[in-house]
mmCIF file with all atom_site columns, all heavy atoms in Angstrom:
data_model
loop_
_atom_site.group_PDB
_atom_site.id
_atom_site.type_symbol
_atom_site.label_atom_id
_atom_site.label_alt_id
_atom_site.label_comp_id
_atom_site.label_asym_id
_atom_site.label_entity_id
_atom_site.label_seq_id
_atom_site.pdbx_PDB_ins_code
_atom_site.Cartn_x
_atom_site.Cartn_y
_atom_site.Cartn_z
_atom_site.occupancy
_atom_site.B_iso_or_equiv
_atom_site.pdbx_formal_charge
_atom_site.auth_seq_id
_atom_site.auth_comp_id
_atom_site.auth_asym_id
_atom_site.auth_atom_id
_atom_site.pdbx_PDB_model_num
ATOM 1   N N   . ALA W 1 97  ? 106.959 4.258   152.231 1.00 97.00 ? 97  ALA W N   1
ATOM 2   C CA  . ALA W 1 97  ? 106.894 4.614   153.648 1.00 97.00 ? 97  ALA W CA  1
ATOM 3   C C   . ALA W 1 97  ? 107.256 3.359   154.443 1.00 97.00 ? 97  ALA W C   1
ATOM 4   O O   . ALA W 1 97  ? 106.608 2.319   154.287 1.00 97.00 ? 97  ALA W O   1
ATOM 5   C CB  . ALA W 1 97  ? 105.493 5.083   153.993 1.00 97.00 ? 97  ALA W CB  1
ATOM 6   N N   . VAL W 1 98  ? 108.323 3.456   155.250 1.00 98.00 ? 98  VAL W N   1
ATOM 7   C CA  . VAL W 1 98  ? 108.709 2.328   156.102 1.00 98.00 ? 98  VAL W CA  1
ATOM 8   C C   . VAL W 1 98  ? 108.069 2.574   157.463 1.00 98.00 ? 98  VAL W C   1
ATOM 9   O O   . VAL W 1 98  ? 108.418 3.527   158.158 1.00 98.00 ? 98  VAL W O   1
ATOM 10  C CB  . VAL W 1 98  ? 110.255 2.238   156.221 1.00 98.00 ? 98  VAL W CB  1
ATOM 11  C CG1 . VAL W 1 98  ? 110.653 1.054   157.086 1.00 98.00 ? 98  VAL W CG1 1
ATOM 12  C CG2 . VAL W 1 98  ? 110.901 2.140   154.846 1.00 98.00 ? 98  VAL W CG2 1
ATOM 13  N N   . THR W 1 99  ? 107.101 1.751   157.820 1.00 97.00 ? 99  THR W N   1
ATOM 14  C CA  . THR W 1 99  ? 106.359 2.022   159.062 1.00 97.00 ? 99  THR W CA  1
ATOM 15  C C   . THR W 1 99  ? 107.145 1.605   160.297 1.00 97.00 ? 99  THR W C   1
ATOM 16  O O   . THR W 1 99  ? 107.055 2.226   161.345 1.00 97.00 ? 99  THR W O   1
ATOM 17  C CB  . THR W 1 99  ? 105.003 1.295   159.048 1.00 97.00 ? 99  THR W CB  1
ATOM 18  O OG1 . THR W 1 99  ? 105.241 -0.079  158.720 1.00 97.00 ? 99  THR W OG1 1
ATOM 19  C CG2 . THR W 1 99  ? 104.067 1.912   158.028 1.00 97.00 ? 99  THR W CG2 1
ATOM 20  N N   . ASP W 1 100 ? 107.934 0.548   160.164 1.00 98.00 ? 100 ASP W N   1
ATOM 21  C CA  . ASP W 1 100 ? 108.778 0.106   161.282 1.00 98.00 ? 100 ASP W CA  1
ATOM 22  C C   . ASP W 1 100 ? 109.865 -0.766  160.705 1.00 98.00 ? 100 ASP W C   1
ATOM 23  O O   . ASP W 1 100 ? 109.685 -1.369  159.636 1.00 98.00 ? 100 ASP W O   1
ATOM 24  C CB  . ASP W 1 100 ? 107.953 -0.679  162.311 1.00 98.00 ? 100 ASP W CB  1
ATOM 25  C CG  . ASP W 1 100 ? 107.228 -1.847  161.662 1.00 98.00 ? 100 ASP W CG  1
ATOM 26  O OD1 . ASP W 1 100 ? 106.154 -1.619  161.070 1.00 98.00 ? 100 ASP W OD1 1
ATOM 27  O OD2 . ASP W 1 100 ? 107.774 -2.965  161.696 1.00 98.00 ? 100 ASP W OD2 1
ATOM 28  N N   . TYR W 1 101 ? 110.991 -0.836  161.398 1.00 98.00 ? 101 TYR W N   1
ATOM 29  C CA  . TYR W 1 101 ? 112.137 -1.582  160.849 1.00 98.00 ? 101 TYR W CA  1
ATOM 30  C C   . TYR W 1 101 ? 113.033 -2.034  161.989 1.00 98.00 ? 101 TYR W C   1
ATOM 31  O O   . TYR W 1 101 ? 113.477 -1.222  162.799 1.00 98.00 ? 101 TYR W O   1
ATOM 32  C CB  . TYR W 1 101 ? 112.931 -0.680  159.900 1.00 98.00 ? 101 TYR W CB  1
ATOM 33  C CG  . TYR W 1 101 ? 114.052 -1.392  159.182 1.00 98.00 ? 101 TYR W CG  1
ATOM 34  C CD1 . TYR W 1 101 ? 113.872 -1.850  157.881 1.00 98.00 ? 101 TYR W CD1 1
ATOM 35  C CD2 . TYR W 1 101 ? 115.284 -1.603  159.789 1.00 98.00 ? 101 TYR W CD2 1
ATOM 36  C CE1 . TYR W 1 101 ? 114.895 -2.507  157.206 1.00 98.00 ? 101 TYR W CE1 1
ATOM 37  C CE2 . TYR W 1 101 ? 116.310 -2.262  159.126 1.00 98.00 ? 101 TYR W CE2 1
ATOM 38  C CZ  . TYR W 1 101 ? 116.114 -2.707  157.836 1.00 98.00 ? 101 TYR W CZ  1
ATOM 39  O OH  . TYR W 1 101 ? 117.116 -3.355  157.169 1.00 98.00 ? 101 TYR W OH  1
ATOM 40  N N   . VAL W 1 102 ? 113.276 -3.317  162.058 1.00 98.00 ? 102 VAL W N   1
ATOM 41  C CA  . VAL W 1 102 ? 114.179 -3.848  163.083 1.00 98.00 ? 102 VAL W CA  1
ATOM 42  C C   . VAL W 1 102 ? 115.129 -4.845  162.424 1.00 98.00 ? 102 VAL W C   1
ATOM 43  O O   . VAL W 1 102 ? 114.705 -5.669  161.619 1.00 98.00 ? 102 VAL W O   1
ATOM 44  C CB  . VAL W 1 102 ? 113.386 -4.591  164.190 1.00 98.00 ? 102 VAL W CB  1
ATOM 45  C CG1 . VAL W 1 102 ? 114.338 -5.282  165.153 1.00 98.00 ? 102 VAL W CG1 1
ATOM 46  C CG2 . VAL W 1 102 ? 112.501 -3.646  164.941 1.00 98.00 ? 102 VAL W CG2 1
ATOM 47  N N   . GLN W 1 103 ? 116.397 -4.732  162.784 1.00 98.00 ? 103 GLN W N   1
ATOM 48  C CA  . GLN W 1 103 ? 117.387 -5.701  162.306 1.00 98.00 ? 103 GLN W CA  1
ATOM 49  C C   . GLN W 1 103 ? 118.068 -6.293  163.526 1.00 98.00 ? 103 GLN W C   1
ATOM 50  O O   . GLN W 1 103 ? 118.540 -5.555  164.388 1.00 98.00 ? 103 GLN W O   1
ATOM 51  C CB  . GLN W 1 103 ? 118.393 -4.975  161.416 1.00 98.00 ? 103 GLN W CB  1
ATOM 52  C CG  . GLN W 1 103 ? 119.515 -5.849  160.922 1.00 98.00 ? 103 GLN W CG  1
ATOM 53  C CD  . GLN W 1 103 ? 120.306 -5.170  159.815 1.00 98.00 ? 103 GLN W CD  1
ATOM 54  O OE1 . GLN W 1 103 ? 119.751 -4.414  159.018 1.00 98.00 ? 103 GLN W OE1 1
ATOM 55  N NE2 . GLN W 1 103 ? 121.603 -5.417  159.771 1.00 98.00 ? 103 GLN W NE2 1
ATOM 56  N N   . GLU W 1 104 ? 118.123 -7.613  163.596 1.00 98.00 ? 104 GLU W N   1
ATOM 57  C CA  . GLU W 1 104 ? 118.681 -8.253  164.788 1.00 98.00 ? 104 GLU W CA  1
ATOM 58  C C   . GLU W 1 104 ? 119.647 -9.355  164.399 1.00 98.00 ? 104 GLU W C   1
ATOM 59  O O   . GLU W 1 104 ? 119.317 -10.225 163.595 1.00 98.00 ? 104 GLU W O   1
ATOM 60  C CB  . GLU W 1 104 ? 117.558 -8.908  165.605 1.00 98.00 ? 104 GLU W CB  1
ATOM 61  C CG  . GLU W 1 104 ? 116.974 -8.009  166.653 1.00 98.00 ? 104 GLU W CG  1
ATOM 62  C CD  . GLU W 1 104 ? 115.782 -8.655  167.340 1.00 98.00 ? 104 GLU W CD  1
ATOM 63  O OE1 . GLU W 1 104 ? 115.407 -9.793  166.996 1.00 98.00 ? 104 GLU W OE1 1
ATOM 64  O OE2 . GLU W 1 104 ? 115.212 -8.002  168.223 1.00 98.00 ? 104 GLU W OE2 1
ATOM 65  N N   . LEU W 1 105 ? 120.816 -9.300  165.018 1.00 98.00 ? 105 LEU W N   1
ATOM 66  C CA  . LEU W 1 105 ? 121.781 -10.383 164.817 1.00 98.00 ? 105 LEU W CA  1
ATOM 67  C C   . LEU W 1 105 ? 121.808 -11.212 166.097 1.00 98.00 ? 105 LEU W C   1
ATOM 68  O O   . LEU W 1 105 ? 122.171 -10.709 167.161 1.00 98.00 ? 105 LEU W O   1
ATOM 69  C CB  . LEU W 1 105 ? 123.171 -9.799  164.529 1.00 98.00 ? 105 LEU W CB  1
ATOM 70  C CG  . LEU W 1 105 ? 124.296 -10.821 164.382 1.00 98.00 ? 105 LEU W CG  1
ATOM 71  C CD1 . LEU W 1 105 ? 124.058 -11.766 163.213 1.00 98.00 ? 105 LEU W CD1 1
ATOM 72  C CD2 . LEU W 1 105 ? 125.643 -10.108 164.208 1.00 98.00 ? 105 LEU W CD2 1
ATOM 73  N N   . ASP W 1 106 ? 121.410 -12.449 165.966 1.00 98.00 ? 106 ASP W N   1
ATOM 74  C CA  . ASP W 1 106 ? 121.409 -13.350 167.116 1.00 98.00 ? 106 ASP W CA  1
ATOM 75  C C   . ASP W 1 106 ? 122.742 -14.099 167.117 1.00 98.00 ? 106 ASP W C   1
ATOM 76  O O   . ASP W 1 106 ? 122.980 -14.992 166.302 1.00 98.00 ? 106 ASP W O   1
ATOM 77  C CB  . ASP W 1 106 ? 120.229 -14.324 166.973 1.00 98.00 ? 106 ASP W CB  1
ATOM 78  C CG  . ASP W 1 106 ? 120.126 -15.273 168.143 1.00 98.00 ? 106 ASP W CG  1
ATOM 79  O OD1 . ASP W 1 106 ? 121.141 -15.479 168.849 1.00 98.00 ? 106 ASP W OD1 1
ATOM 80  O OD2 . ASP W 1 106 ? 119.028 -15.821 168.359 1.00 98.00 ? 106 ASP W OD2 1
ATOM 81  N N   . LEU W 1 107 ? 123.609 -13.675 168.033 1.00 98.00 ? 107 LEU W N   1
ATOM 82  C CA  . LEU W 1 107 ? 124.977 -14.217 168.027 1.00 98.00 ? 107 LEU W CA  1
ATOM 83  C C   . LEU W 1 107 ? 125.009 -15.676 168.447 1.00 98.00 ? 107 LEU W C   1
ATOM 84  O O   . LEU W 1 107 ? 125.821 -16.446 167.974 1.00 98.00 ? 107 LEU W O   1
ATOM 85  C CB  . LEU W 1 107 ? 125.860 -13.412 168.980 1.00 98.00 ? 107 LEU W CB  1
ATOM 86  C CG  . LEU W 1 107 ? 125.973 -11.920 168.677 1.00 98.00 ? 107 LEU W CG  1
ATOM 87  C CD1 . LEU W 1 107 ? 126.710 -11.218 169.793 1.00 98.00 ? 107 LEU W CD1 1
ATOM 88  C CD2 . LEU W 1 107 ? 126.710 -11.711 167.361 1.00 98.00 ? 107 LEU W CD2 1
ATOM 89  N N   . ARG W 1 108 ? 124.109 -16.038 169.315 1.00 98.00 ? 108 ARG W N   1
ATOM 90  C CA  . ARG W 1 108 ? 124.132 -17.411 169.814 1.00 98.00 ? 108 ARG W CA  1
ATOM 91  C C   . ARG W 1 108 ? 123.799 -18.385 168.674 1.00 98.00 ? 108 ARG W C   1
ATOM 92  O O   . ARG W 1 108 ? 124.403 -19.422 168.526 1.00 98.00 ? 108 ARG W O   1
ATOM 93  C CB  . ARG W 1 108 ? 123.117 -17.568 170.939 1.00 98.00 ? 108 ARG W CB  1
ATOM 94  C CG  . ARG W 1 108 ? 123.320 -18.857 171.718 1.00 98.00 ? 108 ARG W CG  1
ATOM 95  C CD  . ARG W 1 108 ? 122.072 -19.273 172.433 1.00 98.00 ? 108 ARG W CD  1
ATOM 96  N NE  . ARG W 1 108 ? 121.581 -18.272 173.337 1.00 98.00 ? 108 ARG W NE  1
ATOM 97  C CZ  . ARG W 1 108 ? 121.698 -18.332 174.658 1.00 98.00 ? 108 ARG W CZ  1
ATOM 98  N NH1 . ARG W 1 108 ? 122.331 -19.331 175.211 1.00 98.00 ? 108 ARG W NH1 1
ATOM 99  N NH2 . ARG W 1 108 ? 121.168 -17.399 175.406 1.00 98.00 ? 108 ARG W NH2 1
ATOM 100 N N   . ARG W 1 109 ? 122.829 -18.001 167.836 1.00 98.00 ? 109 ARG W N   1
ATOM 101 C CA  . ARG W 1 109 ? 122.382 -18.906 166.779 1.00 98.00 ? 109 ARG W CA  1
ATOM 102 C C   . ARG W 1 109 ? 122.992 -18.582 165.421 1.00 98.00 ? 109 ARG W C   1
ATOM 103 O O   . ARG W 1 109 ? 122.821 -19.332 164.471 1.00 98.00 ? 109 ARG W O   1
ATOM 104 C CB  . ARG W 1 109 ? 120.859 -18.859 166.698 1.00 98.00 ? 109 ARG W CB  1
ATOM 105 C CG  . ARG W 1 109 ? 120.199 -19.378 167.982 1.00 98.00 ? 109 ARG W CG  1
ATOM 106 C CD  . ARG W 1 109 ? 118.770 -18.888 168.141 1.00 98.00 ? 109 ARG W CD  1
ATOM 107 N NE  . ARG W 1 109 ? 117.955 -19.266 167.009 1.00 98.00 ? 109 ARG W NE  1
ATOM 108 C CZ  . ARG W 1 109 ? 117.226 -18.427 166.296 1.00 98.00 ? 109 ARG W CZ  1
ATOM 109 N NH1 . ARG W 1 109 ? 117.200 -17.146 166.599 1.00 98.00 ? 109 ARG W NH1 1
ATOM 110 N NH2 . ARG W 1 109 ? 116.509 -18.854 165.294 1.00 98.00 ? 109 ARG W NH2 1
#
Side-chain angles (χ1 to χ4, degrees):
V98 181
T99 51
D100 55 278
Y101 185 98
V102 173
Q103 177 168 327
E104 269 175 359
L105 176 62
D106 182 339
L107 301 172
R108 194 202 303 255
R109 296 159 57 233

